[in-house]
Amino acid sequence: MSTSEMLELNRTIDRLRRAVGSLRTMYGDAASVRRLSNDLERLEIDARDLDASPPNVVHREPVERIKVSDTPYDASMWLGIDDEGLGGLHYERG
């Protein structure tokens, strides 16, 4: 992560920490507040881990593109088949 991204992440975590502190004041030791505190702690740990390790750069091979022709298919290729989703209509196509 770049320095500016890490700074923004840490600022956001600080704002979240203040918000969770306010909720703790309002709701006390409610289970939801404890879960939020736990989630906040996990975010702090993950942010420190990211800051301490270099980013992994994944290089992907380009995807092979297959050109599909715009010309219509030969209509005889579809003779005698059912239309899926239409209850298996059986009729001759013309």
Side-chain angles (χ1 to χ4, degrees), residues 10-74:
N10 287 323
R11 277 189 229 122
T12 302
I13 290 173
D14 287 338
R15 286 192 299 266
L16 185 56
R17 185 181 304 111
R18 287 191 296 274
V20 170
S22 295
L23 290 171
R24 185 175 292 112
T25 302
M26 290 173 21
Y27 294 99
D29 194 35
S32 298
V33 175
R34 285 195 311 270
R35 283 193 300 272
L36 286 170
S37 294
N38 188 28
D39 292 343
L40 177 59
E41 182 180 348
R42 184 74 240 167
L43 283 171
E44 291 169 331
I45 291 168
D46 290 343
R48 280 193 305 268
D49 288 349
L50 281 174
D51 197 28
S53 64
N56 288 333
V57 179
V58 178
H59 298 284
R60 297 178 192 243
E61 303 251 348
V63 176
E64 180 186 354
R65 306 233 179 221
I66 299 171
K67 184 168 173 38
V68 177
S69 174
D70 289 337
T71 58
Y73 291 108
D74 180 5

